[in-house]
C-alpha cells in the first residue's frame, strides 16, 4: 500500500512538472491568434536613434520604426502598445516577455540569431566613420591611437572592438546614437562609428557643419525580432513586410523619415 502511495505521489509530481513546463512553453509562444484574441500587441521600439526612433514633446515614440509599428497595428486590426527601449535593452526585453516582438532597428547577426529569430529586413542604412572636417581620417589606420565613440549594444560596436588592440583605440560606449553623436560634437571623442541616417539627422537638427562622413565601411539591414518559438508570427511579419514593400507604404515611410527611397533590401 505504501509503495502504491509513493508511486501515485511521484506520478502526480511528474504530471504537475510536465504541465508547468508545457504551460511555460505556451506562455512564451506567441501567435497571431493570441494577439488578435487579446486585442492588442506589445512591440518594442528603439528610441535615441532618430530618424528611426525618438520621442516627441509628449514622450511618444516617433520615427521610421514607430510608423512601421502603426502599419502593423492597422493590418492586424488591434491596439498597439509601443514599449520604448534603448539598444542594450532590446533583446533582454523580448526574452523576458515584456514585448511580443521588436521593431527596433536591430541587425540580424549570426550571434544574435543564437538567441532570437529574425524577419526579412524592413529597413537598411550605411554605416561609417564620422569626425570633424579638420581631422585627417580616410582609413581605419588613421584611427590609430584615437579616442572613439560608439552606441553600446549596436552592431557597429564590434567594428571598434575587433580593432581595439590593433589600432590602440580608446573606446567610449554610449547608450544610443544621439548621445554618441553629441560626444563627437562636444569633442569628448575624436571619431564615432554609426549609421548614416542617424548621423545626418543629428547634424541637421543641430545645424552642424564641422562634422562629416570620413568613410563608409558597411551596410546594415534591420529586421523585426521575435522569440525562437514564434514561427507563425515570423511568417506573418515576413508576409507583412513583403506586402508593404510591394504596395509602396514602406517606401513612403522611408521617404518621410530618411529622405530617400527605400533601398534594395536583402532577403533570407
Amino acid at each position: 500500500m505504501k509503495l502504491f502511495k509513493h508511486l501515485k505521489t511521484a506520478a502526480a509530481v511528474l504530471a504537475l512538472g510536465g504541465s508547468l513546463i508545457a504551460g511555460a512553453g505556451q506562455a512564451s509562444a506567441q501567435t497571431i491568434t493570441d494577439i488578435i484574441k487579446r486585442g492588442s500587441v506589445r512591440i518594442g521600439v528603439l528610441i535615441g536613434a532618430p530618424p528611426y526612433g525618438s520621442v516627441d514633446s509628449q514622450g511618444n515614440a516617433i520615427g521610421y520604426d514607430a510608423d512601421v509599428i502603426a502599419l502593423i497595428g492597422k493590418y492586424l486590426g488591434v491596439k498597439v502598445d509601443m514599449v520604448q527601449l534603448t539598444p542594450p535593452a532590446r533583446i533582454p526585453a523580448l526574452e523576458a516577455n515584456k514585448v511580443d516582438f521588436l521593431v527596433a532597428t536591430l541587425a540580424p547577426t549570426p550571434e544574435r540569431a543564437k538567441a532570437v529569430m529574425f524577419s526579412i529586413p524592413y529597413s537598411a542604412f550605411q554605416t561609417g566613420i564620422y569626425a570633424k572636417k579638420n581631422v585627417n581620417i580616410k582609413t581605419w589606420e588613421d584611427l590609430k591611437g584615437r579616442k572613439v565613440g560608439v552606441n553600446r549594444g549596436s552592431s557597429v560596436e564590434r567594428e571598434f572592438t575587433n580593432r581595439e588592440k590593433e589600432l590602440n583605440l580608446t573606446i567610449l560606449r554610449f547608450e544610443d546614437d544621439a548621445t554618441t553623436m553629441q560626444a563627437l560634437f562636444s569633442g569628448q571623442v575624436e571619431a564615432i562609428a554609426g549609421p548614416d541616417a542617424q548621423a545626418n539627422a543629428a547634424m541637421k537638427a543641430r545645424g552642424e557643419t564641422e562634422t562629416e562622413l570620413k568613410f563608409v565601411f558597411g551596410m546594415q539591414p534591420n529586421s523585426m525580432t521575435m522569440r525562437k518559438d514564434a514561427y507563425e508570427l515570423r511568417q506573418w511579419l515576413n508576409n507583412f513586410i513583403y506586402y508593404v514593400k510591394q504596395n509602396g507604404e514602406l517606401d513612403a515611410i522611408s521617404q518621410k523619415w530618411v529622405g530617400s527611397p527605400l533601398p534594395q533590401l536583402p532577403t533570407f
Side-chain angles (χ1 to χ4, degrees):
M1 181 65 72
K2 286 184 179 180
L3 178 60
F4 176 74
K5 286 182 178 178
H6 287 316
L7 290 173
K8 188 175 180 181
T9 301
V13 170
L14 287 171
L16 177 60
S19 65
L20 287 173
I21 292 170
Q26 290 167 359
S28 63
Q30 191 63 59
T31 69
I32 294 300
T33 301
D34 293 335
I35 291 171
I36 293 174
K37 186 176 180 180
R38 189 171 67 203
S40 64
V41 60
R42 298 168 300 166
I43 305 176
V45 61
L46 179 65
I47 57 170
Y52 290 91
S54 58
V55 294
D56 62 17
S57 57
Q58 284 76 46
N60 299 312
I62 58 170
Y64 187 110
D65 287 351
D67 280 10
V68 171
I69 289 171
L71 264 187
I72 291 172
K74 166 189 164 183
Y75 282 103
L76 280 174
V78 299
K79 177 187 173 184
V80 171
D81 178 18
M82 293 192 207
V83 180
Q84 299 177 13
L85 301 168
T86 59
R90 290 173 293 183
I91 289 179
L94 180 64
E95 292 178 322
N97 293 330
K98 293 180 179 178
V99 295
D100 297 319
F101 57 95
L102 302 170
V103 180
T105 317
L106 199 62
T109 66
E111 183 62 29
R112 288 170 174 165
K114 294 175 183 178
V116 295
M117 284 199 302
F118 292 102
S119 71
I120 59 175
Y122 69 97
S123 71
F125 46 69
Q126 289 189 126
T127 51
I129 299 297
Y130 290 81
K132 298 289 187 180
K133 289 181 178 179
N134 61 358
V135 178
N136 184 26
I137 297 175
K138 295 180 180 179
T139 67
W140 287 111
E141 278 296 312
D142 296 328
L143 288 169
K144 203 163 191 175
R146 295 187 185 274
K147 183 184 292 186
V148 297
V150 71
N151 181 342
R152 184 196 314 276
S154 68
S155 61
V156 297
E157 182 181 5
R158 70 177 182 274
E159 299 294 340
F160 279 159
T161 55
N162 288 346
R163 296 173 172 85
E164 185 173 7
K165 291 183 179 179
E166 173 194 351
L167 299 178
N168 189 30
L169 298 174
T170 299
I171 304 173
L172 299 187
R173 294 169 172 84
F174 302 93
E175 292 305 308
D176 53 47
D177 289 304
T179 310
T180 304
M181 287 300 297
Q182 183 57 42
L184 177 60
F185 295 152
S186 66
Q188 190 176 351
V189 295
E190 297 175 83
I192 65 101
D196 60 352
Q198 284 92 320
N200 292 337
M203 289 188 287
K204 181 179 179 180
R206 181 185 171 91
E208 172 65 34
T209 59
E210 298 303 314
T211 299
E212 66 180 3
L213 171 66
K214 295 299 184 178
F215 64 89
V216 172
F217 59 80
M219 186 195 77
Q220 177 181 309
N222 302 297
S223 293
M224 299 177 190
T225 316
M226 63 289 306
R227 289 183 286 275
K228 291 186 76 173
D229 58 352
Y231 290 100
E232 185 199 48
L233 177 59
R234 180 193 184 199
Q235 179 59 29
W236 188 90
L237 291 172
N238 280 342
N239 186 280
F240 164 80
I241 294 167
Y242 163 80
Y243 190 80
V244 295
K245 280 197 303 184
Q246 299 302 312
N247 71 9
E249 287 180 292
L250 200 54
D251 181 68
I253 291 174
S254 180
Q255 296 278 9
K256 174 183 175 182
W257 290 103
V258 183
S260 60
L262 186 71
Q264 187 69 35
L265 299 176
T267 59
F268 52 81

